[in-house]
Amino acid sequence: MTTAIYPGSYDPVTYGHLNIAFRAASLFDKVVFALAINSSKKCLFTLEERLDMIRQGIAHYAKEKNLNDSNIEVTQFDGLLANFVMKYEKPAIIRGLRAVTDFEYEYQMALMNRYQNYQVDTLFLIASLRYSFLSSSIIKEIARHNGDYKKLVPPYVYGRLWEKFNNQSRENGKV
Ligand code: ADP
């Protein structure tokens, strides 16, 4: 059984992430969204919120595109990714590549993961053209300024972002 481990911080999950995960799900027996607990990134959403949004996002994407999501799991991990993946049968790390700007960082990470554990390979899927301009950071930026991003994230994620920024502005006395 082959397993694709899809690591990230998913703060929050977007259609770009989901597109990669479902494409991997048709190539591997199992896909595991692996949310990094110890990411150095400062996140807007808590771990629980991010896990919840990934789960809801998967269900929505599957329903909307009439795809099977029974081989996609969601989990969290702490510590080295190169160690964590060994919990699974025939694991490979998968990552999405948007543009050359992603390449340098991904190249370094893939080599470092193999340096940590020579059994671990990283496979890259090229981002769908529809979503290649998307990142969690840009979505948060647009949401913060009340821009249009409704079609770029699942409805549940849209709701959570709206809530987050609306409540924040209310607390800051801006609403
Ligand atoms: P990290 O915190 O490790 O950078 P992210 O949560 O931002 O991870 O993203 C996880 C993975 O999803 C990365 O491989 C990233 O390149 C990929 N990804 C992010 N946005 C998109 C997108 N719009 N299309 C395809 N892949 C994407």
Side-chain angles (χ1 to χ4, degrees):
M1 175 147 146
T2 54
T3 315
I5 312 293
Y6 189 24
S9 39
Y10 305 109
D11 185 44
V13 72
T14 70
Y15 279 143
H17 295 127
L18 290 164
N19 175 267
I20 295 285
F22 276 84
R23 283 162 58 199
S26 67
L27 300 170
F28 288 81
D29 294 320
K30 185 155 92 173
V31 172
V32 180
F33 268 89
L35 211 159
I37 300 178
N38 59 347
S39 160
S40 53
K41 288 186 183 170
K42 192 174 164 343
C43 289
L44 174 68
F45 292 99
T46 66
L47 187 78
E48 284 313 319
E49 288 174 326
R50 284 179 284 147
L51 287 169
D52 182 37
M53 286 187 282
I54 299 172
R55 289 195 187 102
Q56 299 281 348
I58 293 170
H60 173 80
Y61 197 92
K63 201 167 160 210
E64 199 180 65
K65 310 238 181 237
N66 204 12
L67 294 169
N68 176 24
D69 64 354
S70 62
N71 64 339
I72 307 182
E73 286 177 14
V74 183
T75 192
Q76 61 197 60
F77 76 98
D78 210 355
L80 281 182
L81 177 65
N83 294 339
F84 166 76
V85 299
M86 298 316 287
K87 280 180 44 179
Y88 296 90
E89 229 177 296
K90 295 198 185 154
I93 296 168
I94 55 152
R95 298 281 289 175
L97 268 189
R98 282 161 293 193
V100 275
T101 41
D102 275 346
F103 181 77
E104 207 164 299
Y105 173 73
E106 294 296 341
Y107 175 75
Q108 189 182 18
M109 285 307 293
L111 287 177
M112 184 48 97
N113 280 323
R114 238 174 95 77
Y115 185 82
Q116 299 303 313
N117 179 349
Y118 73 95
Q119 296 180 66
V120 180
D121 256 310
T122 305
L123 303 177
F124 296 97
L125 292 178
I126 300 295
S128 150
L129 199 54
R130 284 180 78 176
Y131 303 126
S132 55
F133 62 100
L134 268 191
S135 69
S136 300
S137 329
I138 205 164
I139 289 289
K140 284 182 282 191
E141 208 44 39
I142 298 297
R144 193 186 310 276
H145 300 292
N146 252 312
D148 178 9
Y149 61 101
K150 204 167 189 168
K151 294 200 177 123
L152 305 177
V153 294
Y156 184 76
V157 175
Y158 183 81
R160 300 311 305 261
L161 277 161
W162 194 88
E163 242 171 57
K164 194 69 117 186
F165 289 114
N166 226 258
N167 290 341
Q168 265 180 14
S169 335
R170 202 170 285 136
E171 279 158 24
N172 297 339
K174 287 185 194 149
V175 171

